[in-house]
Amino acid sequence: MNFQEIGRVDGAINSEKRINYSFKDVMPSRGINYYRLKQTDINNEYKIHDMITCMYEPKETIIKINSLTGVLLTSFETNDYKASMESVALTPGTYLVELNSKNAPLYVKYLKH
């Protein structure tokens, strides 16, 4: 199984107390998602932790794709936003994506390769 980095969390350099860290995958794939943590210390030594799985069944979501200047480029409704985002014809660049479901909107910076 090939893993791709989806984010990083900076750690405390020197700490004598326990610190809890968290990270949220804001664009999980529909169905089963596989995650594992790679923990790297200051000497670049690392430990890869056991894989975990999470099931994700998305609800209907309205997606609005905006330029970084705030111009609305397109919007659509989907229940599989990751597949929808991959199929949208965007030129390579950075976009601001608004995900709206029944909860408060979530804004994500999206990099199209």
mmCIF file of all heavy atoms in Angstrom, residues 26 28 40 46-47 52 56 78 81-82 84 91 100 109-110:
data_model
loop_
_atom_site.group_PDB
_atom_site.id
_atom_site.type_symbol
_atom_site.label_atom_id
_atom_site.label_comp_id
_atom_site.label_asym_id
_atom_site.label_seq_id
_atom_site.Cartn_x
_atom_site.Cartn_y
_atom_site.Cartn_z
ATOM 1 N N VAL A 26 -9.236 16.978 5.845
ATOM 2 C CA VAL A 26 -10.400 17.747 5.401
ATOM 3 C C VAL A 26 -10.936 17.264 4.059
ATOM 4 O O VAL A 26 -12.008 17.700 3.637
ATOM 5 C CB VAL A 26 -10.102 19.262 5.351
ATOM 6 C CG1 VAL A 26 -9.809 19.800 6.734
ATOM 7 C CG2 VAL A 26 -8.968 19.566 4.392
ATOM 8 N N PRO A 28 -11.174 13.579 2.952
ATOM 9 C CA PRO A 28 -11.030 12.123 2.903
ATOM 10 C C PRO A 28 -11.720 11.548 1.671
ATOM 11 O O PRO A 28 -12.617 12.173 1.097
ATOM 12 C CB PRO A 28 -11.729 11.663 4.183
ATOM 13 C CG PRO A 28 -12.732 12.730 4.457
ATOM 14 C CD PRO A 28 -12.092 14.012 3.992
ATOM 15 N N THR A 40 8.673 11.997 13.428
ATOM 16 C CA THR A 40 10.081 12.290 13.190
ATOM 17 C C THR A 40 10.612 13.177 14.310
ATOM 18 O O THR A 40 10.002 14.183 14.652
ATOM 19 C CB THR A 40 10.266 13.013 11.838
ATOM 20 O OG1 THR A 40 9.643 12.235 10.813
ATOM 21 C CG2 THR A 40 11.732 13.207 11.512
ATOM 22 N N TYR A 46 12.948 8.483 12.719
ATOM 23 C CA TYR A 46 11.492 8.430 12.688
ATOM 24 C C TYR A 46 10.973 7.053 13.077
ATOM 25 O O TYR A 46 11.680 6.058 13.029
ATOM 26 C CB TYR A 46 10.953 8.835 11.319
ATOM 27 C CG TYR A 46 11.354 7.925 10.188
ATOM 28 C CD1 TYR A 46 10.591 6.812 9.858
ATOM 29 C CD2 TYR A 46 12.492 8.189 9.440
ATOM 30 C CE1 TYR A 46 10.954 5.978 8.821
ATOM 31 C CE2 TYR A 46 12.857 7.366 8.394
ATOM 32 C CZ TYR A 46 12.083 6.254 8.087
ATOM 33 O OH TYR A 46 12.440 5.443 7.068
ATOM 34 N N LYS A 47 9.697 7.049 13.437
ATOM 35 C CA LYS A 47 8.972 5.825 13.750
ATOM 36 C C LYS A 47 7.663 5.879 12.978
ATOM 37 O O LYS A 47 6.975 6.898 12.979
ATOM 38 C CB LYS A 47 8.676 5.729 15.240
ATOM 39 C CG LYS A 47 7.859 4.507 15.609
ATOM 40 C CD LYS A 47 7.545 4.442 17.093
ATOM 41 C CE LYS A 47 6.696 3.213 17.370
ATOM 42 N NZ LYS A 47 6.320 3.139 18.789
ATOM 43 N N ILE A 52 -4.268 2.724 10.740
ATOM 44 C CA ILE A 52 -5.649 2.690 11.211
ATOM 45 C C ILE A 52 -6.562 2.951 10.019
ATOM 46 O O ILE A 52 -6.124 3.465 8.991
ATOM 47 C CB ILE A 52 -5.933 3.710 12.334
ATOM 48 C CG1 ILE A 52 -5.726 5.145 11.839
ATOM 49 C CG2 ILE A 52 -5.080 3.431 13.566
ATOM 50 C CD1 ILE A 52 -6.288 6.189 12.765
ATOM 51 N N TYR A 56 -15.686 6.637 5.701
ATOM 52 C CA TYR A 56 -16.260 7.948 5.430
ATOM 53 C C TYR A 56 -17.366 7.814 4.394
ATOM 54 O O TYR A 56 -17.125 7.372 3.274
ATOM 55 C CB TYR A 56 -15.186 8.921 4.934
ATOM 56 C CG TYR A 56 -15.743 10.275 4.604
ATOM 57 C CD1 TYR A 56 -16.245 11.107 5.602
ATOM 58 C CD2 TYR A 56 -15.801 10.723 3.293
ATOM 59 C CE1 TYR A 56 -16.778 12.341 5.301
ATOM 60 C CE2 TYR A 56 -16.328 11.965 2.988
ATOM 61 C CZ TYR A 56 -16.816 12.760 3.995
ATOM 62 O OH TYR A 56 -17.352 13.982 3.700
ATOM 63 N N THR A 78 -22.565 17.582 -4.688
ATOM 64 C CA THR A 78 -22.029 16.234 -4.847
ATOM 65 C C THR A 78 -22.085 15.488 -3.519
ATOM 66 O O THR A 78 -22.183 16.105 -2.459
ATOM 67 C CB THR A 78 -20.582 16.273 -5.375
ATOM 68 O OG1 THR A 78 -20.114 14.937 -5.575
ATOM 69 C CG2 THR A 78 -19.658 16.979 -4.406
ATOM 70 N N TYR A 81 -17.058 14.554 -2.904
ATOM 71 C CA TYR A 81 -16.348 15.767 -3.305
ATOM 72 C C TYR A 81 -14.926 15.516 -3.740
ATOM 73 O O TYR A 81 -14.405 16.222 -4.592
ATOM 74 C CB TYR A 81 -16.421 16.854 -2.240
ATOM 75 C CG TYR A 81 -15.830 16.509 -0.905
ATOM 76 C CD1 TYR A 81 -14.479 16.589 -0.674
ATOM 77 C CD2 TYR A 81 -16.647 16.129 0.150
ATOM 78 C CE1 TYR A 81 -13.938 16.284 0.548
ATOM 79 C CE2 TYR A 81 -16.122 15.831 1.392
ATOM 80 C CZ TYR A 81 -14.769 15.908 1.583
ATOM 81 O OH TYR A 81 -14.243 15.609 2.794
ATOM 82 N N LYS A 82 -14.261 14.507 -3.212
ATOM 83 C CA LYS A 82 -12.883 14.272 -3.635
ATOM 84 C C LYS A 82 -12.837 13.858 -5.105
ATOM 85 O O LYS A 82 -12.061 14.399 -5.887
ATOM 86 C CB LYS A 82 -12.215 13.222 -2.758
ATOM 87 C CG LYS A 82 -10.729 13.115 -3.010
ATOM 88 C CD LYS A 82 -10.012 12.424 -1.909
ATOM 89 C CE LYS A 82 -8.526 12.577 -2.076
ATOM 90 N NZ LYS A 82 -7.785 11.996 -0.985
ATOM 91 N N SER A 84 -15.141 14.481 -7.288
ATOM 92 C CA SER A 84 -15.616 15.633 -8.057
ATOM 93 C C SER A 84 -14.515 16.658 -8.259
ATOM 94 O O SER A 84 -14.364 17.207 -9.348
ATOM 95 C CB SER A 84 -16.799 16.287 -7.350
ATOM 96 O OG SER A 84 -17.893 15.404 -7.278
ATOM 97 N N THR A 91 -7.153 24.850 -14.285
ATOM 98 C CA THR A 91 -5.748 24.975 -14.643
ATOM 99 C C THR A 91 -4.912 24.795 -13.382
ATOM 100 O O THR A 91 -5.390 25.071 -12.276
ATOM 101 C CB THR A 91 -5.455 26.355 -15.269
ATOM 102 O OG1 THR A 91 -5.832 27.371 -14.352
ATOM 103 C CG2 THR A 91 -6.194 26.529 -16.571
ATOM 104 N N ASN A 100 -19.902 23.221 1.778
ATOM 105 C CA ASN A 100 -21.093 23.514 2.573
ATOM 106 C C ASN A 100 -21.961 22.278 2.688
ATOM 107 O O ASN A 100 -22.412 21.735 1.698
ATOM 108 C CB ASN A 100 -21.940 24.617 1.902
ATOM 109 C CG ASN A 100 -21.425 25.987 2.215
ATOM 110 O OD1 ASN A 100 -21.341 26.347 3.368
ATOM 111 N ND2 ASN A 100 -21.074 26.736 1.189
ATOM 112 N N LYS A 109 -7.764 25.372 1.261
ATOM 113 C CA LYS A 109 -6.889 25.773 0.157
ATOM 114 C C LYS A 109 -6.612 24.514 -0.653
ATOM 115 O O LYS A 109 -6.211 23.494 -0.123
ATOM 116 C CB LYS A 109 -5.589 26.365 0.684
ATOM 117 C CG LYS A 109 -4.764 27.012 -0.422
ATOM 118 C CD LYS A 109 -3.409 27.474 0.058
ATOM 119 C CE LYS A 109 -3.504 28.663 0.974
ATOM 120 N NZ LYS A 109 -2.184 29.208 1.321
ATOM 121 N N TYR A 110 -6.880 24.570 -1.965
ATOM 122 C CA TYR A 110 -6.766 23.402 -2.835
ATOM 123 C C TYR A 110 -5.712 23.678 -3.895
ATOM 124 O O TYR A 110 -5.759 24.687 -4.584
ATOM 125 C CB TYR A 110 -8.118 23.121 -3.491
ATOM 126 C CG TYR A 110 -8.119 21.951 -4.437
ATOM 127 C CD1 TYR A 110 -8.089 20.645 -3.949
ATOM 128 C CD2 TYR A 110 -8.155 22.140 -5.816
ATOM 129 C CE1 TYR A 110 -8.104 19.567 -4.818
ATOM 130 C CE2 TYR A 110 -8.161 21.052 -6.684
ATOM 131 C CZ TYR A 110 -8.140 19.775 -6.180
ATOM 132 O OH TYR A 110 -8.150 18.718 -7.035
#
